[in-house]
Amino acid sequence: MKVGIGQDSHRFDFGNTHKKFVLGGVVFDGVTPLDGNSDADVVLHALANAVSGVTGVNILGEIADKMCLKDGITDSSLYVVEALKYLENLKIVHVSITIECSYPKISPKISEMQKVISRLLSLPENSVGITATTGEGLTAFGQGKGIQSFCCVTAL
């Protein structure tokens, strides 16, 4: 068994009116997008980093930069797919994700995010846990300046 931990964070891009806000592979309509070269999906970036923690192959960095900046791939689900290629004989069996922000409200979209991530990882939905917190407003994320996500994956 191996366990990987991943984290990612992005600030809001308040001046951008063309980009969509995507979290956990789900579009939230009417929400200010996050700043980043890709779709800036902090949940899927944390997931890719957690898988990298299992495989030892860093995807968010040179590999994702090439995919995004050279090949124009901005869909973060494809970074997760790339990370999964390095699992070899291991299989992800459980994922736990936590999201810290004050905006938007995450709870109404958790079920939808679980469905997307379970399909992405070929897992049952009850093997994808997602929680959200405001952190009581103690950090920049809880103060509405951006979003942070942590992810822990278990692989056998």
Side-chain angles (χ1 to χ4, degrees):
M1 176 175 62
K2 289 188 174 185
V3 175
I5 300 171
Q7 183 275 345
D8 193 53
S9 58
H10 286 270
R11 68 182 67 238
F12 287 108
D13 188 355
F14 291 105
N16 192 328
T17 58
H18 303 292
K19 191 175 184 180
K20 294 189 182 284
F21 177 91
V22 183
L23 199 61
V26 174
V27 174
F28 286 55
D29 291 323
V31 176
T32 302
L34 294 170
D35 188 23
N37 292 324
S38 69
D39 59 15
D41 186 330
V42 295
V43 169
L44 294 185
H45 289 187
L47 175 56
N49 281 333
V51 174
S52 292
V54 169
T55 65
V57 178
N58 187 17
I59 299 302
L60 294 187
E62 189 174 324
I63 293 171
D65 284 350
K66 179 192 175 296
M67 291 173 71
C68 180
L69 301 173
K70 185 174 181 206
D71 301 332
I73 299 169
T74 60
D75 180 347
S76 293
S77 67
L78 297 176
Y79 307 153
V80 174
V81 169
E82 184 65 24
L84 295 172
K85 292 178 183 178
Y86 298 93
L87 280 173
E88 297 177 359
N89 296 332
L90 295 170
K91 177 171 174 30
I92 304 292
V93 295
H94 187 265
V95 177
S96 179
I97 297 165
T98 190
I99 303 161
E100 182 183 1
C101 63
S102 65
Y103 161 83
K105 292 299 177 197
I106 303 301
S107 296
K109 295 283 193 174
I110 285 178
S111 178
E112 197 174 343
M113 286 189 279
Q114 284 173 307
K115 285 181 174 95
V116 169
I117 293 168
S118 70
R119 281 193 301 266
L120 189 58
L121 300 177
S122 300
L123 287 176
E125 286 178 37
N126 66 358
S127 292
V128 178
I130 300 175
T131 60
T133 182
T134 63
E136 301 302 325
L138 294 173
T139 68
F141 309 106
Q143 295 165 7
K145 297 177 183 174
I147 298 183
Q148 173 169 243
S149 181
F150 289 93
C151 179
C152 182
V153 298
T154 305
L156 297 177

